[in-house]
Structures are given as C-alpha cells and as structure tokens.
Amino acid sequence: METFKNVFGTGATDEEQSEETGIMDELWKNSTLSWSTRIKGFVFFFVFGYLISFISTSLLLTIGVVAFAVLYTVGNLCSMLSTLFLMGPVSQFKKMFASTRIISTIVVLVKF
C-alpha cells in the first residue's frame, strides 16, 4: 500500500503541504477513506465505466446514435472520475490545473 500512497499522494513535502492547507484540504483529510476502500472504489467505477462504454459501442446499430453518445460519454466520465478515489478530488484538481497539465485539461474539458 505504501507504493500506492507514494504514487498517488500529493507529491509535495510536509512543509509544502502545511503551507497549502485550506478549508477543502482539511475537509478531505477529516473525511478520508482507507486505502482498501479507495482501491475498491477505483476498480468498481473504472470497470463500470469501461463496461458501459463497451456495451454502448456493441449496441451502436440497435440503440441509435444519440443513446450511444450518451452511454459512451457516461462510461468515459465514470472511468475518468474513478481516479478521484485514488488521489482525492482536491489533489486531483490541483494536479489537473498545474502549469504542465493545463493544456491537456482544457482539451479534455472542451471535448466534453
């Protein structure tokens, strides 16, 4: 589990973390999930999203284009949002809007 914590942690030192602590960080720390619960949530939502996307693709000819688009989008959102279980929403949004990832974030958000 330490490997998961190191990979999906905030990546900042203890001094940097104490300086950046805000209201949302305090709320997240006080309502944190255990690592086993986070892994289970991640796996469930990722597999659920993948299955919805796969089913919508395989039923494309029978359910119509609009239903396909809705189901495929929901499946992709579930798969992408599953990472919130690993990192936490505050940490993930901080990393998404970091200067090195802002262009990718904008492209993904505009795509939806």
Side-chain angles (χ1 to χ4, degrees):
M1 285 300 167
E2 289 299 320
T3 305
F4 283 116
K5 290 179 184 178
N6 291 336
V7 170
F8 296 108
T10 59
T13 63
D14 290 335
E15 294 174 8
E16 291 173 350
Q17 285 180 350
S18 64
E19 291 175 5
E20 296 177 359
T21 303
I23 294 172
M24 291 304 293
D25 289 333
E26 289 298 321
L27 285 173
W28 181 248
K29 287 178 185 176
N30 291 332
S31 64
T32 186
L33 301 170
S34 69
W35 275 100
S36 63
T37 305
R38 288 182 184 211
I39 298 297
K40 290 174 188 173
F42 167 75
V43 170
F44 174 77
F45 275 96
F46 186 78
V47 170
F48 180 70
Y50 178 78
L51 287 175
I52 289 178
S53 297
F54 180 76
I55 289 170
S56 69
T57 303
S58 60
L59 296 176
L60 175 62
L61 297 176
T62 59
I63 63 175
V65 176
V66 174
F68 161 76
V70 170
L71 287 175
Y72 194 77
T73 301
V74 168
N76 279 332
L77 285 174
C78 283
S79 295
M80 288 191 326
L81 293 176
S82 67
T83 58
L84 290 175
F85 280 97
L86 295 178
M87 298 173 53
V90 174
S91 176
Q92 178 150 348
F93 285 119
K94 282 183 183 177
K95 288 184 179 184
M96 280 175 56
F97 291 103
S99 61
T100 57
R101 296 182 179 170
I102 191 70
I103 295 172
S104 329
T105 301
I106 291 171
V107 167
V108 169
L109 292 177
V110 167
K111 182 181 89 167
F112 283 114

